[in-house]
Structure formats: structure tokens, C-alpha cells
Amino acid sequence: MIPIPQGITSDPFTAVPEEMVKLLRDQLEETADEVEREVRVGIPEYARHGDNYVKNLRTGVVQALTLFVDLVADPLRDWESVAATYYEIGRGEALEGRSLDALQSALRIGGRVAWRLLSQVAEEQKLDATVLAGLAEAAMVAIHEVAEVATAGYTEAQLRSTGELQRRRKRLLDLLLGDPAASAEAVQDLAHSAQWPVPQKVAVVALAATPDGGDATADDRLMVPTGVLVGMDSRPPRMVVPDPEELSRPRGRSLALALRGRPAAVGPTVPLTEAADSLRLAIRALSLMGRGILPGSGVVRCTDHLSTLLLYGDEALLLRLSDQVLAPLDSAPGPQRDRLAETLLAWLQSGSSVGEVATLLHIHPQTVRYRLRQLDKLFGDRLRDPEARFDLELALRGASLCPQADRL
């Protein structure tokens, strides 16, 4: 229920000449300029830029001043409608994420500037000192009362804001990770209303199933670090982590604890506008974790496995490459084929060093030479062609990462 101001009486206003009311209205826009300027300079939370924001601030200032002048013009007006207006102003400020101190400071500044105008006009009109004193008293009471009503609206909104704040952060998460990328202004506006400080860079974390095998759902209560946006009802569940370089600091430990052992993939650190790219790679890494191509437990960072993510960026193409360049191995029996493939990959990766291959595979150098002679019969000059060697290494690396596949 909206509280109705009780401390305002109409008596001091009844003596205000009509000419003064007209002068007040004529100077309303000029006064609104001054109030807006002083509010933005004097209160950091209001010192933001952006067309929509400035428009909303301006509308609120003009609305508040108009109500004040209306009170002077009509002391017997219905105060319930005035109270409702300021109550909604208070609610709106809470939903915008500004502090109660900022709201009350803005009202004080608005009242001070409005009184400055009122006293100047009163002086020009040579208003009787008794009337002026009464008018000053009523104006101060009005400022106090509307501040009380606005505070009540602010408090009511705060009590209901937890769910709304979560909904705004969910919309912000969807906006950041959507395709196409949202404009910087849209992100700024929604981030402000969601009380989320906008970082320069982010990393997106994709979460796997819970340790007991169930899906991660919105019912999970992850104690994530402050500032992390969470979308547990998405598939897969994801988080947007601001300033991800701090993951190696206490925030990183808090995030690991919050995951409670759930496997997760951390996408690369990217500018905020490229958050969707970080998510895409995190999801790819999470999928490879589930298939055993990347480590299946703990937290896997994409930046530690970029070559694997690149290799598996187009698996159909990788399979075609494998079918083409590894076809000569098909003539060898299964176990021998595997040994030859293993030897060939080690040989390519070691820079054609027989000794290093022998050490890596724990076999005798003579065995390595024997297998290399077999490989030379199968592949011939392709083993000495740089482009062919590169294709062979790509295909063999894919096969070594995913041995359960027929070709890969």
C-alpha cells in the first residue's frame, strides 16, 4: 500500500499569486536542466552516458518539478496521485540498481534547486515575508514527505527485486552469448539494470553433468564468486566469468569449490563482445572431455588444448583426411597397422629421429628401423614430402586422440 503524506497542509500555498505560478512554469525547463546537471555531477551513480539513460533521467526530473509546481498552483490537489508518482520513482530507482543514498541525494538536490528557483521568483514578485516563510516551510515538508514515499517505493522494490535481478541477469547472459552479438549499448543498459559491472574481458565456462550422473539444473545452488553470471537451465549449463585472469587467484579457487567436482571446460579469454566464441569452444571442449579425447575430470582450459580443438573443429573433414592419407595402412593386419601408425606418428613428431622414437615407444632402435622400412614400402615418397607429412601427422594425431573410432 502506498503511504500518503500526512505532514503537508495547503495553507502556505494559498497565498501564492497566480503570476508566480506562471513564472515557475515558464522556467521549469531551465530548472530541469540545472537539476539534471547537478545530479549527474554530484552523484556518481547518475553520471552515466547513453541516450536512453539521459532521456529517462530527464523525464524523472521534469516529472518531479512539474508535480512541485502543480502543488503550488493547486494546494488542494489529490496527494494520493502525487504519492503514487514518487512511490513509482522510488521503485524504478531500485530496479535500476542505484542505491537508496543516491536516490535520497538526488531528491535533496532537486528540492534545493527547485527552492532556489522558487525563492528567486518570490523575490522578484516581492512576496510578503510571512508568506515566503510559510512557503519555505511547506516546501521543505513536501521534500521530506515525497522522499519518504519514494523510499517506501524503493524498499518495496528491493524486497521483490531478488527474483527480478535474477531474471535480468539471465537475460543479460542470453544477450552476451546470443548470435548475432549484441551491441555494446544494449549490453551496457541491461548490465546496469542487472547490477553487473561490465568487464573488458570474459571467459565462458561450460559445465558437464553432476558427479552423480544427473543433469545440472536450475535447482543447483552453486556458491559462485561475485559477478559470475550463471545459466544453469541452459544446455549445457554455463557461466560467464568477468576478468578471467583472476581465475588463478582466490576467485579461481572459489569457482573450483563452487563446481563441487563437476567437470567443466573454460573457454578462452575474449573481449566481452566475443563471449559467444568462448562459449562455442568451451562446449566443444566439454564434448571432447565426455569422449575421452580431453581429460574427463576437473576443469579443462581451452587455451591448453587449442590444437586439439582446431583438429576437431570439423570432424567430418578430419575423417575424410584420415581416410585419404592413411589408406596405405589398410593393407596391414589390425595389430600391425596399429604399431605402424604409432611408429609413424612418433617418427614425424620427433623430427625423424630413430633414437627418440625408440625411447618414446620403449622399443629397440632396430625395431624402429624395421617398421620404418615397412612404412617406406607403404607410403614411399610421401614420407619425404613436407605437405604429405603434415597431412599424415594431422590424421595420426586425430587417431591417437580418439582410438575407439574406426579411422580416427
Side-chain angles (χ1 to χ4, degrees), residues 47-105:
R48 295 180 65 247
H49 298 283
D51 293 341
N52 290 336
Y53 182 83
V54 172
K55 180 180 178 181
N56 291 338
L57 175 61
R58 173 73 179 192
T59 299
V61 170
V62 171
Q63 185 179 46
L65 288 173
T66 300
L67 284 170
F68 186 83
V69 176
D70 286 345
L71 174 63
V72 176
D74 182 11
L76 300 177
R77 65 179 283 113
D78 180 10
W79 258 94
E80 184 172 357
S81 62
V82 176
T85 298
Y86 279 94
Y87 190 83
E88 287 303 313
I89 289 175
R91 288 186 72 256
E93 292 300 284
L95 296 177
E96 282 290 324
R98 285 184 283 273
S99 69
L100 180 58
D101 285 344
L103 169 62
Q104 292 175 335
S105 296

Side-chain angles (χ1 to χ4, degrees), residues 331-348:
S331 60
Q336 184 183 9
R337 180 188 187 281
D338 292 342
R339 289 193 294 269
L340 289 174
E342 180 184 52
T343 302
L344 179 56
L345 178 58
W347 182 71
L348 291 167

Side-chain angles (χ1 to χ4, degrees), residues 141-383:
V141 171
I143 293 170
H144 172 76
E145 294 289 356
V146 296
E148 289 292 316
V149 174
T151 299
Y154 184 97
T155 303
E156 185 271 341
Q158 271 206 323
L159 292 175
R160 300 173 180 266
S161 65
T162 301
E164 176 63 23
L165 189 64
Q166 291 175 344
R167 286 190 290 273
R168 291 188 181 197
R169 290 196 170 190
K170 177 60 171 62
R171 291 202 302 272
L172 176 60
L173 185 76
D174 294 339
L175 187 68
L176 289 172
L177 302 180
D179 185 20
S183 68
E185 182 179 357
V187 171
Q188 286 278 355
D189 287 344
L190 186 52
H192 177 71
S193 67
Q195 300 182 30
W196 191 68
V198 178
Q200 292 296 318
K201 294 185 177 181
V202 296
V204 182
V205 181
L207 307 179
T210 54
D212 61 5
D215 287 338
T217 69
D219 293 330
D220 287 327
R221 296 293 182 261
L222 296 182
M223 300 300 292
V224 296
T226 302
V228 175
L229 298 177
V230 181
M232 299 306 294
D233 56 346
S234 302
R235 288 294 178 266
R238 68 276 315 257
M239 300 177 180
V240 172
V241 181
D243 303 318
E245 65 275 6
E246 295 186 9
L247 285 176
S248 59
R249 302 172 189 173
R251 176 182 285 186
R253 290 192 293 272
S254 298
L255 185 59
L257 290 173
L259 295 176
R260 295 177 293 181
R262 180 182 294 124
V266 182
T269 296
V270 296
L272 184 62
T273 55
E274 299 174 17
D277 291 334
S278 183
L279 172 65
R280 176 174 52 82
L281 290 176
I283 291 176
R284 184 183 302 174
L286 193 65
S287 173
L288 297 179
M289 290 171 66
R291 295 164 57 188
I293 296 172
L294 291 179
S297 61
V299 177
V300 170
R301 299 173 186 273
C302 288
T303 51
D304 296 334
H305 304 277
L306 291 178
S307 61
T308 301
L309 292 170
L310 176 62
L311 196 61
Y312 280 83
D314 189 333
E315 293 193 45
L317 186 58
L318 179 60
L319 182 59
R320 287 182 179 276
L321 175 68
S322 180
D323 284 339
Q324 178 177 311
V325 303
L326 300 182
L329 291 174
D330 292 342
S331 60
Q336 184 183 9
R337 180 188 187 281
D338 292 342
R339 289 193 294 269
L340 289 174
E342 180 184 52
T343 302
L344 179 56
L345 178 58
W347 182 71
L348 291 167
Q349 291 179 328
S350 68
S352 307
S353 170
V354 171
E356 288 188 28
V357 174
T359 300
L360 182 64
L361 301 183
H362 307 289
I363 58 178
H364 196 279
Q366 190 60 33
T367 303
V368 176
R369 295 188 184 93
Y370 171 73
R371 292 180 184 178
L372 289 175
R373 286 194 293 271
Q374 290 180 296
L375 289 167
D376 190 63
K377 291 178 182 178
L378 293 173
F379 290 94
D381 290 340
R382 278 173 285 186
L383 296 182

Side-chain angles (χ1 to χ4, degrees), residues 122 125-134:
Q125 292 294 306
K126 297 182 172 52
L127 207 60
D128 182 85
T130 302
V131 175
L132 183 59

